[in-house]
Amino acid sequence: MDYEICIGLETHVQVKTRTKVFCACPTEFGAEPNSNVCPVCLGYPGSLPVINEEAIRKTVLAGMLVEAKIARYSKFDRKNYFYPDMPKNYQISQYDLPLVIGGTVEYDFGVVDKKRLGETKVCHLTRIHLEEDVGKNSHFERTSGVDFNRAGTPLMEIVSEPDLSSSDEAFAYLTALKEILIYGGISDCDMEKGQVRCDVNISVRPRGQKELGQKVEIKNMNTFSGVRHAVDYEAQRQIETLRRGGKLVQETRRWDDVAGVTESMRTKEHAHDYRYFPEPDLLPVSLSEEWLAEVRKLVPELPSAKRKRMVERYGIPPYDAGVLSADAALADYFEAAAKVVKNPKSVANWICNDLLRDLAEAKLAIGQSPVKPPHIAELVDLVDSGKISSKMAKDVFVEMFKTGKAPAAIVAEKGWVQVSDTGAIGKFCDEVIAANPKIVADFKAGKEVALNALTGQVMKLSKGKANPAAVRDALRGKLTG
Amino acid sequence: MKRRGHADNFLESVHCFRFTCPLMSPDQQTPKIDVPYLAQLARISLNAEQVEKFGAQLQQIVAYVEKLKEVNVEGIEPTAHATPITNVFRPDEPRTPGDPAPFLKNAPQQANNLFVVPKIVE
Amino acid sequence: MSLNKLTIHELLPRLAKKEIAAADLARDVAAQIEAVDGRLHAFLEWDREELLAAARGVDEQRARGEALGPLAGIPIGIKDVLNVKGHSCRCGSKILQGYVAPYDATVIAKLRAAGAIPFGRLNMDEFAMGSSTENSAFGVTRNPWDLERIPGGSSGGSAAAVAAGEAPATLGSDTGGSIRQPASLCGVVGLKPTYGRVSRFGLVAFASSLDQIGPFAKDVTDAALVLGAISGRDPNDSTSVPEPVPDYTKALTGDVKGMKLGLPKEYFISGMDKEVETSVRAAVDKLASLGAEIVEISLPHSDYGLAVYYIIATAEASANLARFDGVRYGSRAKDAKDPLDMYGRTRGAGFGPEVTRRIILGTYVLSSGYYDAYYLRAQKVRTLIRRDFMEAFKKCDAIVTPTTPSAAFKIGEKAEDPLTMYLSDIFTVNVNLAGICGVSVPCGFTNLPELPIGLQILGKPFGEETILRVAHAYEQVTDWHKRRPVILEEQPELPMSE
């Protein structure tokens, strides 16, 4: 029996706002425990929530980025359950009228296999809603400690349809989703800071069957590679269970990264009856066309669209487009230079090979680069026009990065102009020919490679400034004349 | 004596109910309330005596509120809020930092700036 | 004349003219509390030194010629359900033992801004759930008119304190009648503002869509003064409405000529206490004699209010009280072996029976399979109840009803039977469900024993000026509000302070 896998992902993403979703406490990471708290996010008696407009805006923006429907009328609900990290023992969330409905995420298999770059697929979304995050538990020998700094941070829950059918697809989807959210300034998606968590819903069914199989939930995954491994393991576990004739139960499992297995979580007494009801302390959200139009202005060009356009417009390979579009600022940098040269591919090369390497070493962001886009453009033009050789250009670049000066200025300063003047080259050639009779004889005898040696000598003599192509031509001319 | 649920006014309806049907039998219209299950959901420990006493009292109250079934609510929207306003927002501006000490001081148990609870076993 | 016997509007000009000092008033208030509260038990806590120091502060400001707020120097007693920074806020419950409020409720900040002196913790039914103050974990408050009887609830302490001259005014909260009913039973004025008129920030929530904070006072003018000080939109409370706050005292013209007063036929029925009915009808006649036109109206869904209330209020309360779990504040059960054990025993020991009952009921009506039949249906019937009022207000300016079906009952008389106790609220709950405003004013007394009877005047949303006008006009031509309970008569006149 052949089985197929159905995966749906619920991704919780911390929204990038300065303050929490229902109170004005700062959302900064790493503060002293329980210092970014107030009566509201601590669930103190008498406290009341007030909606952070920016959290709504960013959630709506996310909806626009995935081309979803934005609900004109939306509201909040109480999701009731007890846990020590829950300040009120209910979470303010959205139940039946979320802010965003539907949507699609296009993902590229290139992130799992470079050879498949350009092969894309679409995953549909069910909805996106806004809710508040809970506190953070730490565990000790006999007690646990709760830090409520994180409680109340705005959380976007992005629910996908069970469209994903492999761990590769899940990984690629998550990567694409993360890229979109970073691009839109909606979240930094910093996994180390726990800004993205994922619940995996996975089931298997005989190939061709329409009904979904028994669903198992794997909760609280916080790395994409973890998701990949967990999906692989769990899918296998489910298939093997069914093949053995066993039954699968609806349950919640946890991924043990060390052991490489999913294990059943000790099911708390009763399945959760969350007793959702409309949040009486918050008024509904009714979004006007004007308000939405303002948000639409914030929608950037999405990475996948940008990549396609770069390939088409500048003729650069998809791989380079991928590297350059990873970061909105980098993409802008590239285009600023590429727009003004005839050779955008060269611009791409300089950035991908040299600039990014140097920036990484110096721990600088593209915005802090001492080399500016017009400098790259100028450098490309200098090489293409023959004014400097590509070898010289490498040295010029080093100076550009060190000093922040424009290449033309550096070249002038250092006198690194490529010598293409036939007269000067001719003089060098004559000198080298005179000094190397044996190599000349080898060339005349038919050994092409001898020309390389002579060219090398001319280059040395000219202190690397001679135009190598011109040198070869001149030598050939003199020796075969 | 008027039938329960058919009193002329609400004063009478409760009186009626109290004196003609003091104890609601579980198999009549109202389902039996599972007090232990609800106490579990609400995280309140009850002893057997309380379960029984509250059970009987609640059964009566629930039988009373069954009268709402008489009302024709076809096409009626539920009242979510008394006031018909929407979009009450706050700007994304941080408050002036305050003193977190009073919050931790209220904790029944705290250590190293954390609220301490008995160990949570996932 | 002991200053604690005067109304706020009598005190303010004397304070302004420096005929009396705020410290004098504070001393008389303190003396009265010391004289009677031992028997009354309205106050759970109060700090004499803090009260006197605050009063002295006002006097010093006045001496320096500083600008003072409209209620400068007036002590206002506070129901134990409102956060006052640095003070306990137990809500009549054991579960909040040890809790110290780290912030002021908005109404407290507003009172301070007005120059008033919020003080003391007034007794109440636990978490505002009750109609007699018998559900307080710290003992019942006694009705100043008859110490064997309840003062009403849940704001029993707040009502009794004003009736007994222990404070010129107090604040209470009203979810299903918890200001109006005790006001009626204690013979004082109690007002529940329109939902959203007064900020709930800092009010420990019982039922979020029904709760409002309001004043108890000796007369309508005082109630208007306090209402004006605490009203207004609050950015910390999303449900507070940006309706401008008028000078409510300007509504007290004494003139009701031509006003239409609606009498809902559903509220005047057989089965009501005869003396209550007689007093209320006499009050209506009195208003008619002042020129008001009495119209019969119908509020057809009145009968369902109690049922709707006990579904919605308990549902919201079951969620609002979930936060009392021993983790962040309040009491915690000892030696809990895990969080589950901690929750169960903390809440089992910390909550009284009425609170427990209501949480269980609220959990039930929200639970899977029952939500549609109970909670959703109740919210729909609530729409109908509100509609009844809105329709009625097209035919009249204000609605007049009895506040309670009977006068104060004896302590212990109804304590064992929750459903019978709930009956005390039948004339008041629909007002909260509809979100409209209502005031109770004294309109008579039962014979033997002499117990107060209240008249309830209801207004449409943000119609406080209308109901205050009607209440004040009635008050001007009667003496009920000037009567004082026996407990006060037994005290000798206190000498004027130096």
Side-chain angles (χ1 to χ4, degrees), chain A residues 254-293:
Chain A
R254 196 195 327 113
W255 169 248
D256 183 334
D257 208 47
V258 174
V261 300
T262 61
E263 40 188 31
S264 191
M265 287 176 77
R266 252 200 294 162
T267 31
K268 290 301 175 190
E269 345 61 44
H270 303 269
H272 290 295
D273 180 352
Y274 291 121
R275 307 184 296 292
Y276 284 100
F277 70 99
E279 171 57 78
D281 289 331
L282 293 176
L283 281 313
V285 175
S286 173
L287 300 175
S288 69
E289 290 311 318
E290 293 77 39
W291 192 92
L292 290 170

Side-chain angles (χ1 to χ4, degrees), chain C residues 232-456:
Chain C
R233 175 161 202 246
D234 179 13
N236 285 324
D237 175 0
S238 304
T239 61
S240 71
V241 177
E243 182 79 19
V245 182
D247 180 349
Y248 287 113
T249 58
K250 292 220 162 57
L252 310 180
T253 58
D255 182 13
V256 295
K257 273 197 287 291
M259 284 185 83
K260 290 196 167 68
L261 301 179
L263 293 195
K265 62 178 202 244
E266 294 84 3
Y267 285 58
F268 287 87
I269 33 87
S270 60
M272 193 160 67
D273 188 293
K274 274 281 167 278
E275 287 177 285
V276 170
E277 188 176 355
T278 308
S279 291
V280 172
R281 286 210 185 274
V284 173
D285 291 342
K286 193 66 130 189
L287 283 162
S289 76
L290 292 176
E293 189 191 323
I294 312 300
V295 287
E296 193 187 69
I297 57 165
S298 174
L299 299 169
H301 296 91
S302 302
D303 199 11
Y304 300 104
L306 263 181
V308 172
Y309 176 76
Y310 278 99
I311 289 173
I312 295 176
T314 57
E316 293 180 4
S318 71
N320 284 329
L321 270 62
R323 68 191 64 198
F324 301 109
D325 60 5
V327 174
R328 289 146 288 118
Y329 44 75
S331 64
R332 180 195 288 197
K334 296 245 171 298
D335 305 319
K337 52 181 164 62
D338 55 40
L340 203 61
D341 183 36
M342 175 185 69
Y343 291 148
R345 287 198 292 118
T346 297
R347 291 159 65 78
F351 289 140
E354 184 61 34
V355 169
T356 303
R357 252 193 303 272
R358 295 199 195 190
I359 291 175
I360 304 272
L361 180 56
T363 306
Y364 176 67
V365 302
L366 289 175
S367 63
S368 173
Y370 296 106
Y371 179 88
D372 283 3
Y374 294 110
Y375 185 80
L376 190 58
R377 178 168 275 270
Q379 288 285 26
K380 291 180 179 178
V381 179
R382 180 180 178 179
T383 301
L384 293 172
I385 290 172
R386 182 174 162 96
R387 240 187 238 183
D388 284 355
F389 279 106
M390 295 305 139
E391 280 305 306
F393 283 124
K394 290 182 186 159
K395 304 196 186 84
C396 62
D397 301 301
I399 295 171
V400 178
T401 81
T403 309
T404 55
S406 57
F409 47 87
K410 279 202 188 305
I411 293 168
E413 193 179 312
K414 303 199 183 182
E416 284 311 300
D417 192 347
L419 205 45
T420 310
M421 181 71 82
Y422 297 165
L423 207 68
S424 320
D425 296 332
I426 50 164
F427 295 141
T428 51
V429 291
N430 288 319
V431 178
N432 302 77
L433 294 173
I436 62 174
C437 58
V439 64
S440 178
V441 290
C443 71
F445 286 82
T446 57
N447 247 327
L448 287 164
E450 195 182 67
L451 299 169
I453 296 168
L455 177 75
Q456 183 177 233

Side-chain angles (χ1 to χ4, degrees), chain B residues 33 35 53-63, chain C residues 357 360-361:
Chain B
I33 302 170
V35 174
K53 182 162 164 213
F54 290 155
Q57 290 169 330
L58 288 171
Q59 207 69 55
Q60 292 190 335
I61 298 167
V62 172
Chain C
R357 252 193 303 272
I360 304 272
L361 180 56

Side-chain angles (χ1 to χ4, degrees), chain C residues 2-142:
Chain C
S2 317
L3 297 177
N4 62 293
K5 292 196 171 152
L6 297 178
T7 62
I8 297 175
H9 61 93
E10 287 166 335
L11 290 162
L12 286 174
R14 281 170 228 218
L15 286 163
K17 290 192 216 131
K18 297 189 185 153
E19 286 167 17
I20 57 172
D24 300 330
L25 171 60
R27 263 192 292 271
D28 284 356
V29 162
Q32 181 66 354
I33 297 173
E34 278 155 359
V36 304
D37 209 63
R39 282 172 291 155
L40 222 54
H41 192 50
F43 280 89
L44 293 176
E45 278 174 37
W46 68 289
D47 187 331
R48 189 176 193 277
E49 285 322 305
E50 196 187 49
L51 173 60
L52 294 182
R56 277 195 299 273
V58 172
D59 290 331
E60 280 157 23
Q61 278 183 303
R62 204 187 296 274
R64 286 197 293 268
E66 284 174 32
L68 295 171
L71 292 178
I74 305 294
I76 312 256
I78 305 300
K79 182 178 181 181
D80 197 23
V81 75
L82 286 162
N83 276 273
V84 178
K85 188 167 176 176
H87 288 258
S88 70
C89 181
R90 285 177 299 177
C91 309
S93 179
K94 286 187 285 185
I95 210 168
L96 274 171
Q97 202 71 30
Y99 170 77
V100 176
Y103 71 108
D104 272 343
T106 298
V107 292
I108 300 298
K110 278 177 160 326
L111 282 180
R112 290 198 215 279
I117 304 171
F119 84 105
R121 311 300 304 167
L122 287 163
N123 199 14
M124 55 184 279
D125 281 300
E126 188 180 3
F127 287 112
M129 299 184 190
S131 311
S132 65
T133 310
E134 290 172 292
N135 293 328
S136 168
F138 308 112
V140 73
T141 297
R142 290 163 187 280

